Amino acid sequence: MRAEASPPPLTAPGVRVPLNEVREERFTLLDGGTEAYPRMLEAIASAQVRVHLEVYTFERDGIGARFLEALVAAAHRGVAVKVVVDGWGSIGASRHLTQTLEAAGAKVRVYNPLTSLCTGRSWRNHRKILLVDDSVAFLGGINIGDAYAANGDQPGWADLALELRGDICRQLGATLHAGASALESGAVRLFLSGFAGGHRLRKRYLQAIDGAEHEVVLAHAYFLPDKGFMRALKRASRRGVAVRLMLAGRSDVVFARAATMRLYRDFLRAGVSIHEWTDSTLHAKAALVDGRKLLVGSFNLDPLSLVNLETLVEVEEPGVAAQAQRWFDKHLRGSRRVYLEDCARSGLQQWLLDIVGLAVARLAERFASFMGRRRKR
């Protein structure tokens, strides 16, 4: 999904980038870690002023070791490096990352480590942001780990990152520490949710779906929409919009697929088409509306994303829309179409599936509701 021409280097050697420099917005949609990691590493290697990396999972070995080496090298040459990892998502690597990066002069924050559970701080930092010199940013669903990139004939997890260049990056740099933010520059809007602030991101999806005229295509890894969101999708289908869901045929989260499958019959009866991606784990969180508006980020359509720290980018630009259309078309061709007759099971099978799925969905909803109430106190 890369643009045909690679962008020029961030700076000439030895030249510092003015952090308030305004540049024309440019967008490149990147297909998984295979395309994103080389460009992210190149950006870090070219950094002259600062690097901000915020990620849920940062693995210690493999591609994680390469990122760690690049971040240490940047810190050694005087770049201000800050890394934020989630205390749960990076539980196996956070101590090593902290020791290594702080020894190089970088700043590290482990967001809500396990000890914070004792004080009730259970929400997560689920964002994936790399910002370099306030001039190039990468946002999407991709963590730092080998699973996200192809390994020989084995495809990486199906996911997306959006590379942004231009004034939106300067705005992002100015608001990273401000909690929730809504930024806009030209064809792009960027939303950061603070704790329990995901409803604004959900609203962006609903507005896009309600405004759809021809087609809505969603690819979501953990698809547990609330009743209002389900009604929006079915309403769009019934007014003649082609609604297609690409969902996980296999998941890295136990029972997540069962929770989603209990919704299949309701959607199929409303005319929504369902496709399951099985070649690898689906991890994307994206939607394309009418072939022109792309929504992509770390925000899942599930209750937990309403309370976690998340990102969502909304772009309406022909070039990136065409890249997104190719990504969706390729993955839909490789997916298995689900029909209503595929949902027919014995009474016991259906009962077990519904019971497990409903239990998982209710647990997620109640946990998110509990955390949201804690925030309001």
Side-chain angles (χ1 to χ4, degrees):
M1 313 319 302
R2 299 178 58 167
E4 293 184 2
S6 298
L10 293 177
T11 62
V15 177
R16 289 186 173 268
V17 178
L19 294 185
N20 61 353
E21 182 177 343
V22 178
R23 299 182 181 181
E24 179 184 357
E25 259 66 39
R26 284 184 290 158
F27 319 106
T28 306
L29 192 64
L30 303 170
D31 187 356
T34 303
E35 289 189 355
Y37 291 155
R39 294 170 77 95
M40 294 168 72
L41 288 167
E42 179 186 3
I44 295 171
S46 302
Q48 298 293 318
V49 181
R50 73 163 169 163
V51 172
H52 179 98
L53 176 63
E54 201 165 335
V55 68
Y56 178 71
T57 300
F58 193 132
E59 293 185 358
R60 174 173 176 170
D61 300 319
I63 191 65
R66 291 182 59 192
F67 270 88
L68 185 57
E69 180 182 357
L71 292 165
V72 167
H76 281 161
R77 66 176 182 268
V79 175
V81 175
K82 182 173 182 180
V83 175
V84 181
V85 296
D86 185 76
W88 178 261
S90 300
I91 187 172
S94 58
R95 178 176 296 182
H96 174 68
L97 293 172
T98 300
Q99 292 174 344
T100 305
L101 287 166
E102 287 185 347
K107 294 181 179 179
V108 183
R109 181 186 179 190
V110 179
Y111 188 87
N112 279 358
L114 291 188
T115 53
S116 66
L117 294 176
C118 300
T119 60
R121 295 175 61 88
S122 303
W123 58 94
R124 312 313 328 161
N125 185 342
H126 196 243
R127 296 172 177 173
K128 290 87 177 173
I129 303 171
L130 173 62
L131 177 66
V132 177
D133 289 343
D134 286 12
S135 62
V136 57
F138 300 82
L139 296 97
I142 299 174
N143 289 294
I144 307 299
D146 287 345
Y148 293 85
N151 182 12
D153 295 333
Q154 181 66 35
W157 286 12
D159 209 339
L160 289 163
L162 187 64
E163 177 183 320
L164 303 173
R165 292 175 182 264
D167 187 60
I168 195 71
C169 300
R170 180 194 60 78
Q171 293 185 43
L172 177 60
T175 57
L176 271 174
H177 306 294
S181 300
L183 314 175
E184 183 173 357
S185 181
V188 62
R189 293 180 176 180
L190 198 164
F191 301 90
L192 304 178
S193 70
F195 170 55
H199 291 278
R200 177 189 291 182
L201 279 57
R202 172 185 176 273
K203 184 177 179 180
R204 301 307 305 179
Y205 268 95
L206 289 175
Q207 289 177 340
I209 293 167
D210 288 340
E213 298 178 353
H214 308 293
E215 182 182 52
V216 173
V217 190
L218 289 94
H220 267 267
Y222 314 113
F223 189 67
L224 291 175
D226 56 77
K227 292 181 180 179
F229 201 98
M230 290 179 64
R231 285 195 295 269
L233 288 173
K234 291 186 289 185
R235 189 166 58 243
S237 178
R238 287 168 177 153
R239 70 171 185 267
V241 175
V243 179
R244 295 192 286 173
L245 306 178
M246 188 172 80
L247 305 175
R250 61 189 197 190
S251 178
D252 62 314
V253 177
V254 177
F255 299 130
R257 183 165 177 258
T260 298
M261 288 177 67
R262 59 180 259 280
L263 308 175
Y264 280 11
R265 285 172 296 171
D266 198 19
F267 277 123
L268 290 169
R269 286 169 180 157
V272 175
S273 66
I274 297 174
H275 310 255
E276 289 190 336
W277 174 258
T278 59
D279 284 359
S280 63
T281 297
L282 176 68
H283 195 256
K285 310 95 168 52
L288 183 63
V289 178
D290 290 338
R292 58 181 176 81
K293 178 182 290 187
L294 172 68
L295 293 89
V296 64
S298 68
F299 181 73
N300 287 302
L301 295 172
D302 69 3
L304 297 180
S305 276
L306 296 177
V307 294
N308 291 336
L309 275 61
E310 303 282 3
T311 65
L312 178 66
V313 186
E314 185 178 298
V315 185
E316 194 164 349
E317 191 271 333
V320 79
Q323 293 174 347
Q325 189 71 65
R326 290 194 293 270
W327 187 90
F328 275 104
D329 288 347
K330 180 182 78 170
H331 285 79
L332 285 169
R333 284 195 302 268
S335 298
R336 181 181 71 89
R337 177 88 181 259
V338 178
Y339 296 93
L340 195 56
E341 53 265 32
D342 298 323
C343 300
R345 298 174 178 85
S346 71
L348 179 61
Q349 287 176 323
Q350 191 63 57
W351 181 79
L352 288 173
L353 178 66
D354 285 348
I355 288 296
V356 172
L358 184 61
V360 172
R362 290 292 179 264
L363 180 62
E365 290 169 1
R366 287 173 181 172
F367 177 77
S369 177
F370 169 74
M371 296 311 300
R373 288 197 300 271
R374 282 183 58 84
R375 178 63 172 176
K376 293 175 182 178
R377 291 177 182 175

